[in-house]
Amino acid sequence: MSKTISYFIVGLAISVCFFCSCNNKKSKDGRTDTYSSGAISFVSDESFSPIIEEERFVFQKDYPGAQVTPIYTNESEAINKLLKGETFLAFTARDFKPSELKSLQGQSFRPVAIKLAYDALAFIVHKNNSDTLISVRDIENIMTGKATTWGDIFKGSKRGNITVVFDNAKSSTVHFVEDSILGGKPISNPNVAAVDKTEEVIKYVEENPGSIGIIGNNWLNDKRDTTNLTFNKDIRVMGVSRIHPATASSSRKPYQYYIYNGQYPLTRTIYALLNDPRQGLPWGFAHFIESPKGQRIILKTGLLPVLGDINVRDVNVTE
């Protein structure tokens, strides 16, 4: 007997965006890059590397005269490099702070922040863990050390201590939890740790049944699933609820549809931060991601594009 599964798919109709090229005159600083040619490096929070790599591949294929080389690091380091003039483009999960804008503008720069996409923080657990519902209050209690065992949030659970793992101690993921969940306070649970990269978080959760990993949801999508409705098969993704205690009906997973309608509570914005007085290749790459083609790539990878008219429809899949 076949069964019918109803899924939500987010469709996208994007308005036309202007993409131009500039001349290739050599500037006083020795740069020869233009809007669509030359070679530059940029920095990005490592949690965005899957989507950045997709965009970079297509951009360089469309503009063979351009080479954009990523430096993947944590968000704090990415912004510091931009402020020091060591790069002209950084991908982060926050806008410039007023003090940063003032500092750059005081040096006669004209920094610009471009919103590119919305993604979500995903909470992942071991594939054999059946405790997969969690509320925002539960998360706060774990981060502050009020809840240290699985039994503290799931009565009767015998899974033992909860170990929380982040991608990097200075990543955008950590900043989001501290700013948006803890109200600006630091994480104080001693059982919260950080590795160096997102793939290490996933590996840790796969090997440790009592752990919770916190990563960007663009790492989760199964490349074989064009609907972006399945996740990595080696871990389980928790449903997160604004309501406490979490229930199946109040909890949502970080699907595109729930990012779109605001039902998933842990969403954030991906920015391109520019400080390029020449408006050369860093501008070209950032605006490519903002263009219709770049926004379609974002949609395909499971995130939510910033630009465009979103159409939502039901799709029935028979298995």
Side-chain angles (χ1 to χ4, degrees):
M1 179 182 295
S2 66
K3 63 178 182 178
T4 299
I5 304 174
S6 180
Y7 288 134
F8 287 112
I9 293 182
V10 179
L12 181 66
I14 308 176
S15 58
V16 176
C17 182
F18 180 73
F19 191 90
C20 65
S21 63
C22 303
N23 61 49
N24 58 358
K25 292 180 180 179
K26 190 171 183 178
S27 64
K28 293 181 180 179
D29 60 9
R31 288 176 58 188
T32 59
D33 60 285
T34 73
Y35 204 76
S36 58
S37 67
I40 56 104
S41 62
F42 64 90
V43 290
S44 173
D45 187 283
E46 186 270 341
S47 66
F48 303 139
S49 61
I51 179 62
I52 297 300
E53 285 302 306
E54 294 278 351
E55 297 282 4
R56 190 171 74 95
F57 174 81
V58 177
F59 177 76
Q60 293 183 152
K61 185 177 180 181
D62 287 356
Y63 301 93
Q67 181 179 351
V68 289
T69 303
I71 300 171
Y72 292 117
T73 182
N74 59 70
E75 184 176 75
S76 295
E77 182 64 21
I79 292 174
N80 284 337
K81 284 182 176 292
L82 187 70
L83 295 176
K84 291 177 181 178
E86 296 175 6
T87 186
F88 300 106
L89 171 62
F91 294 99
T92 69
R94 71 165 176 86
D95 199 343
F96 286 105
K97 294 180 179 179
S99 59
E100 294 165 348
L101 281 174
K102 185 177 181 180
S103 173
L104 292 172
Q105 290 166 350
Q107 302 172 58
S108 299
F109 289 115
R110 297 177 64 185
V112 174
I114 302 172
K115 292 182 179 180
L116 298 175
Y118 303 106
D119 85 331
L121 260 63
F123 283 64
I124 60 174
V125 293
H126 191 272
K127 63 182 179 180
N128 294 331
N129 191 338
S130 58
D131 296 329
T132 58
L133 301 179
I134 194 167
S135 71
V136 174
R137 187 190 298 180
D138 288 330
I139 296 169
E140 180 180 358
N141 288 339
I142 292 171
M143 297 302 164
T144 58
K146 293 180 181 179
T148 58
T149 69
W150 286 93
D152 291 333
I153 57 175
F154 296 98
K155 291 184 178 180
S157 176
K158 298 180 180 179
R159 297 186 187 280
N161 291 332
I162 298 173
T163 301
V164 179
V165 185
F166 284 94
D167 50 351
N168 189 286
K170 297 181 179 180
S171 72
S172 59
T173 311
V174 171
H175 294 159
F176 181 93
V177 170
E178 291 180 336
D179 294 341
S180 300
I181 299 178
L182 301 182
K185 298 178 182 178
I187 297 168
S188 55
N189 186 340
N191 289 331
V192 174
V195 287
D196 288 324
K197 299 179 180 179
T198 302
E199 57 188 330
E200 294 176 13
V201 176
I202 298 172
K203 182 178 180 181
Y204 186 92
V205 171
E206 289 173 349
E207 297 174 350
N208 295 272
S211 62
I212 297 176
I214 306 177
I215 62 177
N217 77 320
N218 67 122
W219 280 84
L220 295 175
N221 293 307
D222 188 330
K223 298 295 184 182
R224 299 163 297 179
D225 177 22
T226 58
T227 66
N228 290 318
L229 292 169
T230 61
F231 295 122
N232 186 306
K233 300 299 189 302
D234 295 325
I235 49 89
R236 301 187 74 180
V237 180
M238 303 187 82
V240 182
S241 171
R242 285 190 175 88
I243 300 171
H244 182 81
T247 64
S249 61
S250 69
S251 301
R252 298 289 184 268
K253 293 185 179 182
Y255 292 128
Q256 279 177 322
Y257 177 69
Y258 296 131
I259 298 174
Y260 166 70
N261 68 11
Q263 291 186 25
Y264 189 75
L266 305 177
T267 60
R268 59 184 181 173
T269 305
I270 300 175
Y271 290 88
L273 301 185
L274 285 155
N275 188 35
D276 180 12
R278 291 193 70 239
Q279 298 188 5
L281 191 54
W283 279 74
F285 183 45
H287 284 294
F288 170 80
I289 301 175
E290 188 188 27
S291 75
K293 193 167 192 176
Q295 294 286 284
R296 285 194 293 271
I297 294 170
I298 288 171
L299 180 72
K300 187 177 179 181
T301 58
L303 304 187
L304 189 69
V306 166
L307 298 179
D309 298 322
I310 305 298
N311 299 315
V312 178
R313 64 186 186 272
D314 287 321
V315 176
N316 292 324
V317 180
T318 301
E319 296 181 343

